Amino acid sequence: MSARRLLDKLWESHEILRREDGTSLLWVDRHLVHEGSHHAFAKIVERGVPVAEPGLTFGVADHYAPTRGAPATDAIARMIATLAANTEKHGITCFGLDDPRQGIVHVIGPEQGLTLPGLLINCGDSHTSTHGAFGALAFGIGATEVAHVLATQTVWQKKPKAMRINVTGRLGPGVGAKDLALAWIAKLGADGARGHAIEYTGPAVRYLSMEGRMTLCNLSIEGGARFGMIAPDETTFAYVKGRPFAPSGDDWDRAVDLWSELPSDADAKFETEVTMDASEIAPIVTWGTTPEDALPVTATIPDPARMQGSAAERARNALDYMGLTPGRKLTEIAVDQVFIGSCTNARIEDLRAAAAVLAGRRAKVPGIVSPGSQLVKAHAEAEGLDRIFIDAGLDWVGSSCSMCVAMNGDLVEPGKRCASTTNRNFRGRQGRGARTHLMSPAMVAAAAVTGHLTDVRELLKEREVA
Amino acid sequence: MSGWRKHSGLAVALDRENVDTDQLIPARFMSTPRSAGYGDFLLHDMRKDSNGTPVPDFPLNVVPNASVLISRRNFGSGSSREAAVYALVDFGIRVVIAPSFGDIFASNSVNNGLLPARVSEAEVDAAMATLAVGAKEVTVDLTDKTIRLGNTTIEFTLDDVWQQKLINGWDDIDLTQNHQQAILAFRAQHVAGMPWAIPVQQNDFRSAGRDTVSQ
């Protein structure tokens, strides 16, 4: 048999059949639904078909979940109530607002052990690639596909091409998975990995914690890839072991044996190969309106006059929207507020990285910190991180997608500039007219302390001296 | 969903790269039931100013009866929200022509009868130049994958599976239910090989908030 990649192994183990035209019918092990899935529930009700596998389907309130008090509007409250009603009607476990396991879907799946190596995981959300960090086949789907999974527990899909992003060396101090992700997206473009499943490999990836790996896989879609994945290893197994829905006893041993066979064979070939050196990556910030508009924080704002054709036009539009002047240093950009949260960067390690910068310091601008789940929140409070954020002047709030997607009423006002740990700097993403700069939690904390974009390594250096 | 083979209508150019799904429909409109119609939300924050007044020179305001949209690379990137496709379809758009599309958006489009037609950058440049003087009638033929605009005929790229699906208006759930036996057989063998494929809910979940960290 020819050498197989992680993607091939995951695909083959879920392929029920393949049509002559090359499309596969795949079995879905875990289907995660949220408030936005209301269209799909409406579709199956319309057809009069039941949910095929309620035991493999899990619901969570996250996109519209309030971070402070009651839902902001009746429409928002209705979205949450509709999810509760739909899941109850179909016999689906739902982590609702009053459940201590509630949080962002891509945080709680792994946290609960619902996400396991070797599984196929679907969710009506493009950041479902996050779960690929465990060596799972995980991808986001639209409402029609969500309805299909609800009705049949299967999904039709053509196998994507495989891209390997191999990262040599080690990330430096103050540089993390977010910087690595933005670095490759800047290099390849926001559609650079379109049509591909990415496997991240190399020593810099192996060295990442599960939190870091989830951040890296989460952002795959921002470079165009519907799938991102990392082969499971001891770090993966250590994270999964003992989680509420993870296998235990003999099953655990059998599972680890099977999972250990998942990594790509040594001589496997990929359609596209990319290599990066982690030691060359600096903390990165975005300056424009797509995640590919990313540069090291040490750089200057790009000048459209030095670009060609449509790139120049696009940069001009982006700078106009962002209210930025070409040629100025990125570190001169003053921010109005900060946001720490989202499925990209709201896990315990992210909160620790931000708190390490903020400890004993005051933020010059307001901001909110929304932990990725209620369990992450409790964990952070047990470590005293909440005090650090509160003492710095930031708001410590509940768990939700919150200001990343601006659906629950948490938003950035028109023209305001936000340093954000989120995943999209699209026009209007955080609210109409909002100006978003994406960066790591440590970099957002640094921007909070100085009131402008800042190289966090300087603030960390001061710490070492003191 | 009904299938189609040929469509003729007015084409309009949206000369921008990376028209993402947050722009196609801002998130704040997505709690609306589909039955209310999503057409008014399409590209809302570009089409209308902050008072809700239409921006006069925005292409879709100039040609409100357009049914073919031509745009630039990475159209529909971002969020998996199918509402972006609903907004296009409910506005009356049947075909989007661009050099590349977000993968999830393209698949959502086909599930709603909307054709994501891929052409080269140069062909988009030429089409935009033709449309610069005003909207023009185009004819899109799914059967031979061609677009006729003025005197030129452009071939577009579309996965054969998606071509058949658009032509036949296939519904995947019906197709899949024909494979019920294969699905049941697969499930049995899959679960036998890895029992943890069915999650075992542990009762004492309230104490499950042990270490949420990996190291």
Side-chain angles (χ1 to χ4, degrees):
Chain A
M1 191 187 286
S2 61
R4 295 188 307 154
R5 305 159 302 197
L6 169 60
L7 169 66
D8 303 317
K9 298 178 187 185
L10 293 170
W11 201 271
E12 284 162 22
S13 64
H14 291 87
E15 190 175 54
I16 299 163
L17 57 93
R18 194 184 314 161
R19 286 200 309 238
E20 272 182 28
D21 61 26
T23 312
S24 305
L25 183 64
L26 302 173
W27 176 256
V28 179
D29 293 305
R30 302 284 185 271
H31 185 204
L32 309 173
V33 297
H34 54 81
E35 304 96 308
S37 309
H38 68 98
H39 289 295
F41 280 107
K43 279 174 201 279
I44 63 162
V45 167
E46 199 178 297
R47 298 180 68 103
V49 294
V51 173
E53 298 275 358
L56 300 182
T57 313
F58 293 83
V60 63
D62 60 359
H63 282 67
Y64 290 84
T67 46
R68 288 156 285 196
T73 66
D74 289 347
I76 289 168
R78 198 170 56 237
M79 289 295 282
I80 297 165
T82 301
L83 173 73
N86 278 329
T87 48
E88 191 183 347
K89 176 179 169 189
H90 294 281
I92 296 166
T93 301
C94 183
F95 308 128
L97 294 185
D98 56 354
D99 192 306
R101 301 168 294 182
Q102 180 269 341
I104 304 172
V105 62
H106 309 310
V107 176
I108 68 155
E111 191 172 73
Q112 290 300 320
L114 288 167
T115 304
L116 300 172
L119 297 187
L120 190 154
I121 300 168
N122 277 150
C123 173
D125 188 279
S126 61
H127 293 109
T128 305
S129 56
T130 309
H131 308 262
F134 291 80
L137 190 64
F139 55 102
I141 54 179
T144 302
E145 291 169 314
V146 171
H148 187 274
V149 179
L150 286 173
T152 67
Q153 201 60 24
T154 65
V155 64
W156 289 102
Q157 194 71 200
K158 247 189 171 173
K159 194 176 180 180
K161 291 184 279 190
M163 172 186 285
R164 173 159 56 191
I165 298 184
N166 189 51
V167 194
T168 61
R170 283 274 179 89
L171 293 167
V175 185
K178 182 68 160 286
D179 303 297
L180 172 54
L182 290 174
W184 82 252
I185 295 165
K187 180 180 163 134
L188 301 187
D191 55 354
R194 188 169 40 81
H196 285 81
I198 301 173
E199 181 177 348
Y200 300 95
T201 63
V205 174
R206 285 286 136 227
Y207 188 68
L208 291 174
S209 65
M210 285 317 297
E211 285 79 3
R213 293 179 188 188
M214 283 188 257
T215 299
L216 184 58
C217 288
N218 173 278
L219 290 162
S220 301
I221 187 69
E222 307 314 329
R226 204 169 175 177
F227 309 74
M229 58 188 77
I230 295 171
D233 60 10
E234 290 305 322
T235 303
T236 321
F237 306 150
Y239 179 101
V240 171
K241 193 169 187 181
R243 301 262 162 201
F245 291 93
S248 56
D250 290 346
D251 273 352
W252 172 258
D253 297 334
R254 280 177 62 198
V256 169
D257 285 347
L258 271 183
W259 297 343
S260 301
E261 292 170 13
L262 285 172
S264 294
D265 299 339
D267 48 349
K269 298 276 185 292
F270 289 74
E271 277 92 347
T272 311
E273 293 268 10
V274 178
T275 302
M276 298 183 65
D277 180 351
S279 62
E280 289 176 359
I281 297 171
I284 296 195
V285 297
T286 62
W287 55 267
T289 53
T290 105
E292 74 186 26
D293 297 338
L295 283 169
V297 66
T298 49
T300 55
I301 298 168
D303 187 353
R306 296 183 179 194
M307 299 178 185
Q308 305 289 321
S310 67
E313 178 63 17
R314 205 183 64 66
R316 209 169 282 122
N317 283 333
L319 292 176
D320 180 53
Y321 179 83
M322 293 296 290
L324 296 175
T325 312
R328 301 276 292 274
K329 286 183 165 178
L330 286 167
T331 49
E332 288 174 18
I333 299 174
V335 300
D336 299 301
Q337 63 196 92
V338 299
F339 176 66
I340 297 173
S342 87
C343 61
T344 307
N345 279 127
R347 298 180 182 84
I348 189 72
E349 189 181 276
D350 300 315
L351 301 182
R352 285 185 189 141
V357 177
L358 283 163
R361 291 173 166 140
R362 287 283 300 175
K364 284 203 172 135
V365 294
I368 67 177
V369 184
S370 176
S373 70
Q374 294 193 29
L375 291 175
V376 168
K377 186 170 192 237
H379 189 125
E381 287 170 358
E383 290 184 15
L385 303 185
D386 58 323
R387 287 313 321 171
I388 293 174
F389 291 118
I390 293 164
D391 290 347
L394 301 179
D395 289 344
W396 177 250
V397 304
S399 181
S400 165
C401 298
S402 181
M403 207 178 271
C404 174
V405 70
M407 283 177 172
N408 75 338
D410 292 342
L411 49 80
V412 176
E413 295 293 330
K416 294 290 183 192
R417 190 179 300 285
C418 183
S420 185
T421 67
T422 55
N423 40 58
R424 289 186 174 134
N425 51 346
F426 296 162
R427 289 162 185 265
R429 169 81 175 181
Q430 294 193 289
R432 185 170 187 160
R435 292 163 169 167
T436 305
H437 294 273
L438 304 177
M439 60 198 83
S440 73
M443 285 287 287
V444 168
V449 168
T450 62
H452 53 85
L453 303 192
T454 298
D455 189 339
V456 67
R457 293 174 298 188
E458 317 255 327
L459 294 185
L460 293 172
K461 226 181 282 169
E462 285 173 26
R463 276 280 145 80
E464 284 165 23
V465 175
Chain B
M1 189 179 81
S2 54
W4 61 277
R5 287 171 181 273
K6 206 170 206 179
H7 172 75
S8 294
L10 281 180
V12 67
L14 182 63
D15 191 359
R16 285 171 188 259
E17 293 184 357
N18 297 311
V19 177
D20 56 69
T21 53
D22 274 87
Q23 291 177 78
L24 287 169
I25 180 167
R28 62 183 184 279
F29 299 120
M30 286 167 51
S31 54
T32 311
R34 176 70 192 279
S35 53
Y38 273 51
D40 196 41
F41 308 142
L42 176 65
L43 293 161
H44 184 278
D45 292 352
M46 288 188 193
R47 270 170 65 206
K48 298 177 187 181
D49 66 17
S50 48
N51 300 318
T53 312
V55 176
D57 60 350
F58 189 75
L60 288 174
N61 293 334
V62 178
V63 194
N65 53 342
S67 61
V68 177
L69 188 63
I70 303 186
S71 192
R72 296 210 178 264
R73 71 173 257 261
N74 209 20
F75 188 93
S77 49
S79 146
S80 62
R81 60 185 71 167
E82 199 160 296
V85 175
Y86 302 160
L88 285 159
V89 169
D90 290 359
F91 185 86
I93 303 292
R94 305 287 301 278
V95 181
V96 182
I97 301 168
S100 62
F101 295 91
D103 283 344
I104 307 179
F105 172 84
S107 128
N108 289 343
S109 295
V110 173
N111 281 330
N112 288 278
L114 175 74
L115 164 63
R118 263 198 299 139
V119 302
S120 71
E121 299 265 0
E123 285 161 339
V124 167
D125 285 342
M128 293 236 174
T130 307
L131 294 172
V133 290
K136 279 217 162 50
E137 175 103 353
V138 294
T139 299
V140 179
D141 194 330
L142 264 176
T143 55
D144 61 1
K145 299 187 189 174
T146 57
I147 300 162
R148 266 195 299 114
L149 172 62
N151 297 325
T152 54
T153 300
I154 312 169
E155 284 185 25
F156 63 84
T157 306
L158 177 74
D159 189 293
D160 291 343
V161 179
W162 285 357
Q163 179 192 28
Q164 289 310 310
K165 197 165 166 178
L166 285 166
I167 289 175
N168 296 306
W170 279 337
D171 179 298
D172 280 346
I173 294 179
D174 286 342
L175 287 182
T176 306
Q177 283 172 341
N178 294 332
H179 299 295
Q180 195 55 33
Q181 288 310 313
I183 295 170
L184 287 173
F186 180 91
R187 185 194 196 278
Q189 159 257 315
H190 187 65
V191 170
M194 40 189 273
W196 52 91
I198 307 294
V200 179
Q201 177 151 2
Q202 300 193 4
N203 295 324
D204 189 19
F205 68 81
R206 272 161 220 280
S207 65
R210 62 157 194 87
D211 196 5
T212 54
V213 216
S214 56
Q215 298 166 11

